[in-house]
Amino acid sequence: MLNDQDSYLRWTQTRSMSVQSEIKRVTTHNLQAMKNAGEKIAMLTAYDFSMARILDDAGIDILLVGDSASNVMAGHETTLPITLDQMIYHAQSVVRAVRRALVVVDLPFGSYQSNPGKALESAIRIMKESGAHAVKLEGGSEVEEAIHRILRAGIPVMGHLGLTPQSIYKFGTYAVRAKEEAEATKLREDARLLADIGCFSLVLEKIPAHLATKVAEEVDIPIIGIGAGPGVDGQVLVTHDMLGITKDFAPRFLRRYLDLYEGISGAVAAYVKDVRMRDFPNEKEQY
Ligand code: KIV
């Protein structure tokens, strides 16, 4: 069995020969080359400058300005309330921080579903006002026309199938999607459609691993999974969840790499104590 040092060494050796080690700025073309070379793509969410700078410096390939900002930044129960203006504000902060990653921005609920012209206008506002590199939207054949219009304007589009949180009131639950044959078949057809019409990538959220693997084999574009198992071309998590800033969200697919909630609350409690005890600031911490 490999110990930590061996596996780190193996990782750095593989990395130095990889497509991604050659990338100065990630483009949709690099992501396709990574899929073609069998290299996995790492994606996380970001909503502000400071966090985006850390994630970018750490080597993340894609930063998603997700509409999950509605939950983790604004405290809403769902992703539905966040507005286009608010998404643009978050995207501007992230774009200012990023030197390498591809920045993808979610089109929020209500900014693309009503008609393709509105979808295009929303996508143009995101690209023009934030400087982001691509947009993401939820749905398959229902949003085909909207995607066509956006693509025709030269804006790269990432699709999103499976559990699509903007439809939570239709689903009624955040449970695993496409367990039944009919929904699985529709998802595979939608994935092929999105690839055929020109989406550069596709997120699959919370679906059975065997189905996600099949989709990643069937379509040529990079498939990024969240709760979709290891057989896809890359993984995405909500940064606040994987860093343990959010406390109560604990789905099976989530791996927590840090417990920042405890870390931050311990640091804040120590600061409060130091202030109250007149221990901060000391002689060296003043002018
Ligand atoms: O908004 C978001 O964070 C997302 C990811 C879960 C893929 O869409």
Side-chain angles (χ1 to χ4, degrees):
M1 212 170 95
L2 290 173
N3 62 31
D4 278 357
Q5 205 180 354
D6 289 337
S7 64
Y8 179 72
L9 251 175
R10 207 178 64 174
W11 180 70
T12 48
Q13 279 162 0
T14 325
R15 199 166 167 241
S16 66
M17 298 178 303
S18 62
V19 172
Q20 65 110 355
S21 67
E22 301 292 313
I23 298 174
K24 297 275 178 293
R25 270 216 90 117
V26 180
T27 65
T28 57
H29 302 276
N30 301 140
L31 298 171
Q32 186 64 56
M34 286 175 73
K35 170 160 181 151
N36 298 347
E39 288 175 25
K40 299 284 185 184
I41 298 162
M43 167 165 155
L44 282 171
T45 60
Y47 320 105
D48 67 67
F49 178 91
S50 307
M51 185 67 84
R53 177 55 61 84
I54 298 171
L55 305 179
D56 190 51
D57 283 351
I60 201 75
D61 299 309
I62 308 176
L63 281 178
L64 171 66
V65 183
D67 58 359
S68 50
S70 180
N71 309 99
V72 293
M73 300 304 284
H76 293 295
E77 232 176 80
T78 72
T79 58
L80 276 64
I82 199 160
T83 65
L84 185 58
D85 285 338
Q86 288 165 338
M87 290 301 296
I88 289 170
Y89 166 78
H90 288 297
Q92 287 168 337
S93 309
V94 170
V95 168
R96 263 179 235 125
V98 164
R99 296 184 275 228
R100 178 183 177 276
L102 185 90
V103 179
V104 181
V105 182
D106 264 333
L107 280 166
F109 178 68
S111 73
Y112 62 97
Q113 292 92 341
S114 56
N115 71 69
K118 180 161 181 180
L120 176 59
E121 275 166 28
S122 303
I124 287 176
R125 276 201 62 202
I126 287 176
M127 301 296 283
K128 219 179 170 75
E129 295 177 38
S130 76
H133 311 126
V135 297
K136 173 165 90 55
L137 53 82
E138 298 182 3
S141 53
E142 317 77 30
V143 289
E144 182 181 350
E145 268 318 303
I147 294 177
H148 271 303
R149 286 293 287 274
I150 298 170
L151 287 170
R152 276 205 296 271
I155 301 171
V157 176
M158 177 181 260
H160 185 156
L161 298 172
L163 177 65
T164 45
Q166 291 178 12
S167 304
I168 185 57
Y169 291 116
K170 182 175 97 183
F171 297 147
T173 148
Y174 285 101
V176 179
R177 302 304 314 174
K179 286 203 319 207
E180 307 302 329
E181 177 114 22
E183 196 179 334
T185 304
K186 157 98 168 98
L187 185 141
R188 284 172 64 189
E189 286 166 5
D190 278 342
R192 278 194 292 266
L193 172 74
L194 296 184
D196 288 349
I197 65 178
C199 286
F200 75 90
S201 176
L202 174 57
V203 167
L204 293 181
E205 181 165 352
K206 222 170 173 189
I207 62 168
H210 66 86
L211 175 61
T213 304
K214 201 176 270 181
V215 173
E217 287 164 0
E218 282 173 354
V219 303
D220 289 337
I221 59 173
I223 305 296
I224 313 292
I226 173 164
V232 288
D233 306 303
Q235 299 292 331
V236 57
L237 286 175
V238 170
T239 298
H240 287 61
D241 298 335
M242 62 85 82
L243 294 180
I245 298 174
T246 48
K247 218 165 110 105
D248 304 324
F249 182 67
R252 186 188 326 172
F253 68 77
L254 175 63
R255 184 180 295 180
R256 280 197 206 287
Y257 287 82
L258 266 182
D259 187 351
L260 268 189
Y261 188 98
E262 288 305 321
I264 293 173
S265 78
V268 172
Y271 169 73
V272 170
K273 178 173 145 277
D274 288 351
V275 171
R276 293 204 176 127
M277 303 290 288
R278 297 176 165 72
D279 188 44
F280 175 81
N282 62 26
E283 316 81 68
K284 289 190 197 140
E285 291 161 334
Q286 58 182 288
Y287 301 99

